[in-house]
């Protein structure tokens, strides 16, 4: 299992995902729907809080029910527990804890799909990868501990057992359970995990059991922002630029004609639009795409306080001029400053060209197209941080920069 500070990117998953989550201040003392239980590897017995039963499952009326012992007080710090997720759980789930320990995110490892449901007793919202970000009402999260037990060993309320049975859980299977508590509420909340790849999800039991389904959705269209094209011929030249886009064009300036842009370009970069007679510093377009996926091994993890330095480094790494760099940094800086951390990948030119092809006449000598895809992260993430190419600018040079914030849905016209 990767350390909790890692964030795992995932792509499309077709199938229904099941998750059940419960917690919050209602989980007090012996109100809990979970009986007090043994630690990992032990078996239920006297003092477990479960009435004695015969092999057929009927409660023996002549045997008294033991008094409820004190609620479990996990002793291992939550971060340590999440760094030691059992293999049976880690194979299908990804855990992430926010820096202030107020939010625990549990994602299915394959790309899930999204469906929003109401959650009672605590707050849960949709995560970036289709799971749930859980905020414990009695939080922030404090302790965590893994135990091994079955639902029949741990849950004493018949209604909860029946609900779990209807949801498709085998009540007799011993499984790895994550027990957590909060700074403001020491009573335990317990999470179990479906091993069925067709029903990936989480089960949480405290004083009640709540079922949350993760639905099915397709890839989302994200906005491709601010691609701007600079032209620097060696001498004043009439240049035609056609854009072939695997997506929807949502904005362009100057206005694209059926034959593209036709401008008189000077070595200084000034452009005269023949259609309108207006002068421009660059050609601008925006579009949509559903095809970009961020690869952490090819990305950089940028803290907010290093955003300016990083963006200037991108400018140097792609041989942008000072005016081009000023345009680039001033556009992307607010986005990076708004995130605790930003994962940024500079997409390979060949990959970007499959999405947006430029057909330029006359043919340029040098084409430089830095294109970023980026995503917000609450915590630092281990990344590859590859070097930038530092291309040489020779002869007729074309520069285009742009990017796509994968957290931002496109608004098409």
């Amino acid at each position: 299992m990767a350390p909790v500070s890692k964030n795992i990117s995932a792509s499309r998953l077709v199938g229904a995902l099941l998750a059940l989550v419960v917690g919050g201040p209602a989980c007090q003392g012996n109100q809990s729907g979970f009986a007090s239980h043994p630690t990992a590897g032990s078996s239920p017995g006297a003092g477990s809080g479960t009435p004695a039963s015969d092999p057929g499952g009927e409660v023996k009326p002549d045997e008294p029910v033991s008094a409820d012992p004190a609620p479990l007080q996990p002793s291992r710090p939550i971060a340590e527990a999440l760094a030691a997720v059992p293999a049976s759980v880690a194979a299908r789930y990804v855990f992430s804890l926010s820096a202030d320990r107020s939010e625990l995110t549990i994602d299915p490892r394959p790309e899930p799909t999204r469906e929003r449901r109401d959650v009672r007793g605590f707050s849960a919202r949709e995560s970036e990868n289709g799971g749930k970000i859980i905020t414990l009402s009695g939080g922030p999260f404090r302790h965590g501990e893994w135990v091994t037990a079955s639902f029949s060993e741990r849950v004493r309320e018949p209604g909860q057992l029946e609900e779990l049975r209807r949801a498709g859980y085998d009540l007799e299977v011993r499984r790895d359970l994550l027990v957590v508590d909060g700074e403001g509420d020491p009573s335990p909340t317990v999470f179990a995990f479906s091993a069925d790849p067709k029903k990936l999800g989480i089960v949480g039991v405290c004083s009640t059991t709540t079922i949350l389904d993760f639905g099915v959705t397709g890839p989302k269209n994200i906005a491709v922002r601010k691609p701007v094209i600079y032209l620097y011929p060696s001498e004043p030249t009439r240049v035609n630029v056609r854009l072939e886009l695997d997506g929807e064009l949502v904005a362009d300036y100057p206005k694209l004609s059926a034959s593209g842009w036709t401008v008189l370009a000077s070595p200084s970069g000034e452009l005269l639009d023949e259609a309108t007679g207006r002068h421009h510093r660059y050609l601008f377009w925006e579009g949509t795409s559903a095809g970009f996926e961020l690869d952490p091994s090819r990305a950089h993890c940028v803290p907010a306080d290093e955003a300016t330095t990083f963006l200037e480094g991108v400018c140097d790494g792609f041989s942008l001029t000072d005016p081009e760099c000023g345009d680039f940094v001033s556009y992307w800086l607010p986005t990076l400053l708004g995130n605790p951390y930003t994962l940024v990948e500079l997409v390979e030119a060949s990959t970007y060209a499959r999405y947006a092809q430029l057909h330029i006449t006359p043919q340029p000598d040098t084409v430089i197209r830095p294109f970023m895809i980026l995503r917000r992260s609450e915590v630092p993430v281990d990344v590859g941080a590859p070097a930038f190419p530092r291309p040489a600018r020779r002869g007729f040079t074309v520069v285009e920069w742009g990017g796509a914030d994968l957290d931002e849905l496109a608004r098409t016209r």
Side-chain angles (χ1 to χ4, degrees):
M1 176 62 189
V4 297
S5 61
K6 290 190 176 182
N7 216 351
I8 305 296
S9 173
S11 61
R12 297 175 275 284
L13 169 70
V14 178
L17 305 177
L18 176 65
L20 305 112
V21 185
V22 175
C27 311
Q28 299 289 344
N30 58 19
Q31 294 177 349
S32 174
F34 260 86
S36 300
H37 52 76
T39 56
S42 63
S43 60
S48 67
T50 305
S53 60
D54 64 5
E58 297 297 327
V59 176
K60 296 181 179 180
D62 56 342
E63 294 188 14
V65 177
S66 60
D68 285 7
L72 173 69
Q73 298 293 323
S75 58
R76 177 180 292 184
I78 181 68
E80 290 184 24
L82 296 181
V85 179
S88 63
V89 179
R92 293 183 173 89
Y93 298 91
V94 179
F95 294 76
S96 179
L97 186 68
S98 63
D100 62 1
R101 295 181 290 111
S102 63
E103 295 179 336
L104 172 63
T105 301
I106 304 172
D107 284 324
R109 186 169 290 278
E111 174 66 22
T113 54
R114 304 162 187 251
E115 179 181 338
R116 192 178 300 276
R117 293 282 188 92
D118 291 335
V119 182
R120 294 169 296 172
F122 65 95
S123 64
R125 69 180 190 273
E126 188 176 288
S127 74
E128 179 180 298
N129 294 317
K132 294 295 179 183
I133 300 175
I134 302 164
T135 303
L136 197 64
S137 298
F141 287 91
R142 182 177 60 165
H143 294 124
E145 182 176 338
W146 291 95
V147 300
T148 303
S150 68
F151 284 123
S152 62
E153 294 169 353
R154 299 298 306 276
V155 181
R156 67 169 176 264
E157 293 294 336
Q160 290 183 335
L161 288 171
E162 180 58 30
E163 189 169 4
L164 291 168
R165 185 181 291 107
R166 288 198 305 268
Y169 286 89
D170 187 331
L171 303 184
E172 304 305 322
V173 170
R174 292 175 64 82
R175 61 187 78 233
D176 295 305
L177 307 173
L178 174 63
V179 184
V180 301
D181 66 8
E183 296 284 0
D185 181 7
S187 56
T189 297
V190 183
F191 296 102
F193 305 86
S194 170
D196 184 350
K198 296 181 180 180
K199 286 189 174 183
L200 291 178
I202 54 178
V203 177
V205 180
C206 194
S207 60
T208 59
T209 299
T210 303
I211 300 177
L212 304 175
D213 293 333
F214 291 172
V216 178
T217 186
K220 65 180 182 179
N221 278 332
I222 53 91
V224 177
R225 293 297 185 198
K226 196 67 174 183
V228 293
I229 304 168
Y230 306 85
L231 307 174
Y232 303 97
S234 300
E235 58 185 19
T237 304
R238 187 173 184 265
V239 180
N240 176 258
V241 180
R242 290 189 300 108
L243 173 66
E244 185 177 338
L245 191 62
D246 183 16
E248 181 178 355
L249 185 70
V250 297
D252 52 305
Y253 187 76
K255 185 68 177 176
L256 272 167
S257 68
S259 60
W261 290 290
T262 300
V263 296
L264 180 62
S266 67
S268 66
E270 182 180 0
L271 308 178
L272 174 63
D273 180 11
E274 291 188 347
T276 65
R278 291 183 178 275
H279 293 263
H280 304 279
R281 291 194 301 115
Y282 49 70
L283 308 174
F284 161 80
W285 66 272
E286 285 190 351
T288 67
S289 173
F292 293 116
E293 298 177 3
L294 191 147
D295 180 359
S297 70
R298 302 191 58 81
H300 301 256
C301 185
V302 185
D305 59 3
E306 297 179 15
T308 300
T309 301
F310 172 78
L311 292 173
E312 290 176 342
V314 173
C315 293
D316 294 340
F318 284 84
S319 304
L320 302 189
T321 65
D322 286 346
E324 293 163 1
C325 186
D327 294 339
F328 175 81
V329 173
S330 61
Y331 183 80
W332 289 112
L333 184 60
T335 299
L336 270 66
L337 289 177
N339 298 334
Y341 298 88
T342 305
L343 299 181
V344 181
E345 178 183 350
L346 274 298
V347 177
E348 289 187 355
S350 59
T351 301
Y352 179 52
R354 290 196 292 269
Y355 164 68
Q357 296 184 47
L358 292 179
H359 304 277
I360 302 174
T361 306
Q363 184 174 337
D365 301 298
T366 303
V367 177
I368 301 172
R369 303 182 78 190
F371 184 84
M372 301 192 309
I373 55 176
L374 52 99
R375 172 171 287 154
R376 176 188 177 95
S377 177
E378 301 294 334
V379 297
V381 176
D382 287 343
V383 291
F388 299 136
R390 297 187 179 276
R393 299 173 66 129
R394 299 188 179 93
F396 177 15
T397 298
V398 174
V399 176
E400 180 196 55
W401 62 257
D405 185 347
L406 301 187
D407 299 320
E408 179 184 15
L409 291 175
R411 295 180 178 85
T412 58
R413 60 186 180 182

